[in-house]
Amino acid sequence: AGYAVTAIDTSSLLLAELQTQAVGLKVRAVEDDLLNFEQNVAHEADLIVCMGDTLTHLSRQSDVDELVRKVARSLKPGGRFVATFRDYTRPLSGPARFIPVRSDESRILTCFLEYGPEHVMVHDVLHERSGDGWQMRISAYPKLRLSPTHVQQSLQKHGLTAVLESAPRGMVRVVASGA
């Protein structure tokens, strides 16, 4: 679409993949914490996006509020902020806590969710086919149990108009715009 894009992530591996895929495009990859985005982007952005489940990787609700404050300060008048994240506020129970993520002929990725008061522990169970059968690898990491209403109210508190929408696969989308 012709936009100049600054992509921020803490993963050098993901940023390297992005740079490989974005050859010839106006994409700048920056390895940094999301909360430092103001130091890495031009003030008065037309669009700020936070897609996938990125917001839930922040440690605390106050981090989300801090990010929202910075987003509101960084948008051009009429600029937009779009974020998607999974709503973990209503705990799943029993077998519903097992979520198939993706699979192909050589990989099967499933997540298992374990709920705490402020976080959900996500256990990734990856089965990969190798020459001698299937190998299993497991990793785990916490995600914030982020309320969509909290995000909407935080955006509104900082002067943005925010609308919540349902998105595919149990995700929530929030679209906010500045004055």
Side-chain angles (χ1 to χ4, degrees):
Y3 284 97
V5 174
T6 300
I8 302 170
D9 202 293
T10 56
S11 170
S12 58
L13 183 66
L14 290 176
L15 291 170
E17 176 67 21
L18 173 65
Q19 288 179 311
T20 300
Q21 299 294 322
V23 172
L25 300 174
K26 295 184 280 186
V27 175
R28 183 171 67 98
V30 176
E31 187 175 347
D32 203 350
D33 188 286
L34 176 63
L35 291 173
N36 296 329
F37 88 91
E38 281 183 308
Q39 299 160 13
N40 296 297
V41 299
H43 296 306
E44 297 206 333
D46 292 308
L47 177 65
I48 299 172
V49 297
C50 195
M51 305 307 283
D53 227 0
T54 303
L55 288 179
T56 61
H57 282 283
L58 294 172
S59 298
R60 297 173 296 281
Q61 298 274 347
S62 60
D63 290 341
V64 175
D65 294 335
E66 173 75 8
L67 178 68
V68 164
R69 182 181 64 76
K70 292 176 179 182
V71 163
R73 203 167 53 200
S74 299
L75 283 175
K76 275 184 182 177
R80 294 199 176 203
F81 171 67
V82 180
T84 60
F85 57 96
R86 190 170 300 283
D87 181 356
Y88 294 110
T89 56
R90 290 184 202 99
L92 301 174
S93 62
R97 296 182 299 160
F98 290 88
I99 300 172
V101 177
R102 75 174 52 128
S103 63
D104 58 33
E105 61 279 346
S106 60
R107 277 186 236 132
I108 302 170
L109 175 60
T110 304
C111 290
F112 172 74
L113 306 178
E114 190 173 27
Y115 291 86
E118 294 182 20
H119 294 86
V120 59
M121 186 60 72
V122 178
H123 302 268
D124 285 342
V125 182
L126 176 64
H127 290 88
E128 289 185 296
R129 187 187 305 262
S130 63
D132 57 347
W134 289 89
Q135 302 296 317
M136 181 175 66
R137 291 188 313 193
I138 298 175
S139 61
Y141 48 90
K143 285 191 174 182
L144 191 58
R145 292 183 66 186
L146 184 58
S147 160
T149 304
H150 177 90
V151 174
Q152 182 181 38
Q153 290 171 346
S154 185
L155 287 159
Q156 291 170 340
K157 175 183 168 188
H158 290 92
L160 301 174
T161 302
V163 176
L164 292 174
E165 304 169 347
S166 293
R169 297 174 27 137
M171 300 289 276
V172 173
R173 179 176 34 249
V174 61
V175 179
S177 53

